Amino acid sequence: MAEDQDPVSTAAALLHRPALVVLAGPPGCGRTSMLRRVTEAVPGPAYAGGGLAMLRANPALALSRAVRARLPAHDVHLLAEAVRSRVRGGLLVLDDLQYADPATLAALPLLAGHCRVLVALRTPHRLPARAAAALRSSAAAWLTVPPLSRDAATDLARRTAAQLDPGALQAVLDRAGGNPLAVTALARQAAAGKAPGGSGIDQVAYAIATALADLPRPARTALAALGLLGRPAPAALLGPGASGLRAAGLITDGPGGDLVPVSTYVAETAAGLLDAAGRVELHTRLAQLTPPAEAARHLAAAGDPAGAHRMALAAADQVTGGDRAALLLFACDLDTPIDPRVRVAAADAALAAGQAAAAAKVLTTGTPLGVEADVLRGEALLQAGSPAAARAAVTPVPDAAPAPVLAGRDRVLLLAELATDPASAPDLAGKIAARYPNPPAGVAAALAAVHARHRTPGWDQELATVATAGGDRLIARYSAWLLVEELVADGRLAEAASAAQAAARECALDLAYGWQTRFAAAGDWALALHGTLPQTASEGEPEPEPVAGQGPDGVLERSGNLTDRALPDEARGYATAAAALIEADTGLLGAARARLDRGVAHPATAWVGRETAWLDGQPERAAHADDAGTHGLLTGLHAITARWAAHDLGQKGTPPIPAGLPQAARRTLTAWATGTGFTAAADGWRPVALREQVRCLLAAGLTDGDPARAVAALLDAERLADAAGLTVLAGRARRGLRRRHVHRDTRSPRSGDQLTRRETDVLRLVAEGEPTRRIAGQLGISAETVDTHIRAGMRKLGARTRTEAAALAFATFPSETPKDGR
């Protein structure tokens, strides 16, 4: 009988009269739980028994356990009548039918016409073909136990390991495939910090391993192949065992006709059952059937590093960008002799893909690799953030080296000097410029970087030209990165975001994932700091639909998605800072602190951490500027936050104003030093950073001795903060107005239209920093439905952004509960 979408209700309906209903499913799928649910839904007494693996040879054992009596097992007709006379109008329930004895199996078709019979059968099973056929022909329904819904799987995982963070929880759910036993085992593994996979079988998974032993050998091999592949596979690759897996309910059809394991964990368990020889044999076979890139890894797993090395090099010649870098790095990591030229090629590809640390590592060996490798290693160390080590790496390169190598050495020396001692870099730049009347691209880019740091007239155009020039992609990308950082330092945040987004698009086309994520994260950091007013409808017009990627919500979602991935530290730092700043500004201070705690040490996150403390009313944690490793705008922001903290703590004094600040930051710190000029300083922030414009207006309202000017500044601050969703700063403006005895009714529209429970659930996940796609997955609804609930919540709460709505719902009014049933 075809699988039903609701097996519990289907089975219960059929069992209001004599019938045999079979609940079938793979190991760990929850057959026993569903058996219990159906039993509870069917009226009348239940007689429950079942088979036992160790006693399957005992005649009529399963039926005897159910009716609690000795039965005539020698005659199947007498056996059926004895059971019928005892069950009568009740329900006969048999679990683990795969372990039932032959007498029980033979009696069930006879009982089906007179009794209500409900049985659970694990697939795969070893029932004789004739007994299985008789069961199918006499069953009123043969129902497959469906996987857990996403909500049910999430609840089970949280009950098993409540401490799992959202990322680990999603990984558990994705691998488990709705299998309850797999959810339990994986959640426990994740909570214990155990790596997935491996050859070991834990106690919970032992039941799965035992069941898989009942599969025919070809099916076991096919399932183990899926576990080793870690991806869907065509039926031809899996061989004759695919049909057995389909019959057991262990695979399903995926996109493009490939076969997908219902539970990745079950497939990995099958792979774990292989002995060492079997694993080597299967990896060797897969290496013959898969593309070169996969084949190389299978050969390595089979213990053939030389073959894996050759295959990886062959595969690397067929791809570009990040894929080529990954294959060459893999080839260099094998336990086999590596040609120095391969190491140089791997480092070059890794640098072009933005994997500087990996490039430096592959060139770090106990034997000399040559001056070309020395220069490339110096470049890698420089881009990995180790300028002193980069200088040491290239210093041994002699002046008699070939011209391209010498130019590379001088480039690294100049950029290392710029990073360690910016004041002396122009002197070295002058000497190097004299050496190269027509400097090659790498030297020209290094000279442009020095001009950019010291703001030589035309520096931005010079660096942009180098960044967009053809030729060496590594030089162009590093120059583009320096351009973005210097534009940010100069307070030209919109230009920085535009340059970063353009560079990210170019890197995406070349599969340079490391560079792409760095540029994407830096662009979002510039946008988060710049601040944008969300799109609003004109008077009388309907509310516009949100546009993906626009405004703070788009920045928050992109940055949150980035921080879920394996990123270079530079990218993770900027992504974390961008998301945390938006969360803190919109009142989600707990979410911001948690995100910062999970992040990496970075100049941008250091300032956001101090700013979050100040917004949270903890000025003592923000009073001392920690601007190490910063310059330009970020140095100014550290100093401004320190001045606000000192003001809140009542501390006096005028710290020196750092050098090299953008005009807006310098004017703000001058206003703090003199006590006047905050309104003019606010105007200076208008094209730079909206939140800092609001803070200057707040300072004007708090320090201006003229009440009329102070109130006007605070009203402007409140208006701008409300429009941009800067919940905390808007609250400070209102407190300032109350001190000036300005009282207005500021109740939002939320007071007359309460949130529904689903809207509350969605906004709670928004408050936890979850993006739309993960909210949809956790709640089992579509992304469009999530957006609908968010817009409804924004309308009821009078919020301009989703994060402001979450803040209003849970930060400002945490005790309010939703209505049920709406």
Side-chain angles (χ1 to χ4, degrees):
M1 193 170 185
E3 178 181 347
D4 196 275
Q5 294 296 319
D6 185 10
V8 173
S9 59
T10 299
L14 290 171
L15 291 172
H16 280 275
R17 59 185 182 277
L20 169 63
V21 173
V22 178
L23 301 178
C29 70
R31 296 181 314 280
T32 300
S33 297
M34 183 162 287
L35 198 73
R36 189 179 306 114
R37 290 168 57 197
V38 175
T39 301
E40 292 170 352
V42 175
Y47 298 84
L52 293 172
M54 298 298 294
L55 300 175
R56 67 175 71 192
N58 287 25
L61 174 67
L63 293 172
S64 296
R65 292 179 64 205
V67 298
R68 304 293 190 272
R70 294 176 64 88
L71 297 172
H74 61 283
D75 186 315
V76 67
H77 293 282
L78 285 177
L79 172 62
E81 178 60 26
V83 173
R84 186 197 65 77
S85 65
R86 287 169 171 80
V87 174
R88 296 182 180 274
L91 176 67
L92 177 62
V93 182
L94 300 181
D95 197 0
D96 289 325
L97 197 65
Q98 70 277 5
Y99 299 136
D101 55 276
T104 296
L105 294 173
L108 287 178
L110 301 176
L111 290 168
H114 305 283
C115 296
R116 298 181 298 164
V117 184
L118 174 66
V119 302
L121 174 65
R122 189 207 68 207
T123 56
H125 57 72
R126 292 186 179 180
L127 298 186
R130 181 176 297 180
L135 278 175
R136 277 196 175 272
S137 63
S138 59
W142 191 287
L143 305 174
T144 300
V145 178
L148 292 176
S149 68
R150 193 74 172 188
D151 283 351
T154 300
D155 180 66
L156 176 59
R158 284 177 171 158
R159 284 188 281 112
T160 304
Q163 70 273 36
L164 290 183
D165 62 63
L169 177 63
Q170 294 308 310
V172 165
L173 300 180
D174 291 342
R175 291 181 62 224
N179 184 292
L181 195 59
V183 171
T184 301
L186 289 171
R188 289 176 179 171
Q189 285 181 5
K194 295 181 180 178
S199 59
I201 303 295
D202 60 34
Q203 290 183 348
V204 176
Y206 181 77
I208 294 178
T210 302
L212 295 180
D214 286 347
L215 281 170
R217 182 178 178 83
R220 288 201 308 273
T221 302
L223 189 60
L226 282 172
L228 294 180
L229 285 167
R231 63 167 176 84
L237 189 150
L238 298 180
S243 59
L245 294 181
R246 189 185 294 280
L250 292 170
I251 58 172
T252 185
D253 292 321
D258 284 350
L259 300 178
V260 184
V262 171
S263 169
T264 303
Y265 179 64
V266 173
E268 290 170 353
T269 301
L273 291 172
L274 295 169
D275 58 23
R279 183 178 289 266
V280 167
E281 180 184 354
L282 186 52
H283 273 301
T284 303
R285 178 187 159 199
L286 290 174
Q288 299 168 353
L289 300 173
T290 53
E294 281 187 88
R297 299 185 184 278
H298 286 300
L299 287 172
D304 183 6
H309 183 76
R310 291 192 298 270
M311 189 66 72
L313 295 184
D317 288 340
Q318 301 174 15
V319 294
T320 60
D323 291 341
R324 173 176 169 80
L327 283 165
L328 289 173
L329 291 170
F330 170 76
C332 292
D333 201 36
L334 293 167
D335 186 16
T336 190
I338 310 296
D339 190 309
R341 292 172 296 180
V342 174
R343 291 189 179 275
V344 170
D348 188 61
L351 276 174
Q355 302 175 48
K361 179 182 177 182
V362 80
L363 292 174
T364 303
T365 65
T367 57
L369 298 175
V371 290
E372 182 184 357
D374 290 341
V375 168
L376 197 57
R377 181 167 175 266
E379 183 77 40
L381 290 167
L382 180 73
Q383 295 191 26
S386 302
R391 180 191 288 116
V394 302
T395 298
V397 176
D399 292 341
V405 174
L406 197 61
R409 180 201 70 178
D410 290 344
R411 164 186 163 80
V412 172
L413 288 174
L414 180 53
L415 289 173
E417 187 75 7
L418 181 64
T420 56
D421 189 2
S424 64
D427 290 340
L428 181 58
K431 296 174 183 176
I432 289 178
R435 189 181 302 162
Y436 298 96
N438 296 304
V443 174
L447 293 171
V450 175
H451 298 160
R453 174 61 66 89
H454 291 276
R455 300 301 186 261
T456 302
W459 69 268
D460 46 357
Q461 187 56 49
E462 181 184 4
L463 199 52
T465 300
V466 176
T468 55
D472 193 318
R473 291 170 300 174
L474 169 61
I475 293 171
R477 286 170 187 163
Y478 190 65
S479 298
W481 178 252
L482 293 177
L483 175 63
V484 170
E485 289 206 308
E486 293 301 338
L487 287 173
V488 170
D490 224 25
R492 296 159 62 177
L493 298 173
E495 293 177 64
S498 178
Q501 290 166 348
R505 289 192 295 270
E506 185 273 330
C507 293
L509 294 175
D510 200 30
L511 303 180
Y513 173 73
W515 278 113
Q516 180 194 353
T517 55
R518 284 175 70 173
F519 282 117
D524 280 340
W525 163 245
L527 288 175
L529 201 50
H530 177 62
T532 55
L533 291 175
Q535 184 181 7
T536 55
S538 302
E539 185 70 26
E541 293 182 356
E543 180 182 343
E545 291 293 317
V547 180
Q550 295 291 329
D553 285 336
V555 174
L556 179 60
E557 182 159 2
R558 284 195 303 272
S559 298
N561 288 341
L562 275 178
T563 56
D564 288 341
R565 305 180 188 180
L567 298 178
D569 282 351
E570 196 73 25
R572 183 172 296 280
Y574 277 127
T576 300
L581 180 62
I582 291 173
E583 288 170 332
D585 275 341
T586 51
L588 303 178
L589 296 161
R593 283 193 297 269
R595 188 182 297 277
L596 291 166
D597 289 342
R598 297 193 303 268
V600 297
H602 189 274
T605 57
W607 172 69
V608 175
R610 296 179 61 245
E611 184 69 7
T612 300
W614 175 76
L615 290 169
D616 201 21
Q618 302 177 64
E620 67 281 357
R621 297 180 58 188
H624 303 289
D626 180 19
D627 56 359
T630 69
H631 73 284
L633 178 62
L634 205 49
T635 298
L637 292 173
H638 271 289
I640 291 169
T641 298
R643 293 310 307 265
W644 268 109
H647 173 271
D648 290 354
L649 292 169
Q651 297 174 350
K652 304 298 182 181
T654 307
I657 297 175
L661 301 182
Q663 184 180 21
R666 187 172 60 254
R667 291 179 67 179
T668 300
L669 291 170
T670 301
W672 276 109
T674 62
T676 61
F678 283 110
T679 303
D683 289 338
W685 285 109
R686 189 188 305 273
V688 180
L690 178 62
R691 69 181 310 280
E692 296 306 315
Q693 181 186 0
V694 171
R695 285 217 290 181
C696 277
L697 290 170
L698 282 175
L702 297 176
T703 61
D704 200 317
D706 184 296
R709 289 199 303 266
V711 168
L714 290 169
L715 288 172
D716 282 345
E718 180 190 35
R719 175 180 57 81
L720 287 172
D722 275 337
L726 302 174
T727 306
V728 182
L729 294 179
R732 291 198 172 222
R734 282 189 270 275
R735 287 202 300 273
L737 287 168
R738 286 195 294 272
R739 293 193 192 100
R740 297 287 182 175
H741 308 294
V742 177
H743 299 278
R744 301 179 326 289
D745 185 0
T746 59
R747 290 177 297 172
S748 72
R750 76 192 304 280
S751 57
D753 201 355
Q754 203 171 26
L755 295 175
T756 67
R757 180 167 297 281
R758 181 59 90 185
E759 288 162 2
T760 302
D761 291 341
V762 169
L763 289 179
R764 180 176 289 109
L765 291 171
V766 171
E768 293 173 0
E770 299 285 10
T772 297
R773 63 177 176 82
R774 289 218 307 246
I775 296 174
Q778 290 188 44
L779 298 181
I781 57 180
S782 69
E784 291 77 12
T785 303
V786 171
D787 287 334
T788 298
H789 288 311
I790 290 173
R791 288 197 297 273
M794 289 167 58
R795 185 181 64 253
K796 293 177 181 180
L797 296 167
R800 303 297 183 93
T801 68
R802 57 190 272 159
T803 44
E804 184 187 6
L808 288 171
F810 299 108
T812 312
F813 303 96
S815 62
E816 188 163 309
T817 55
K819 296 176 181 177
D820 292 323
R822 296 214 14 219

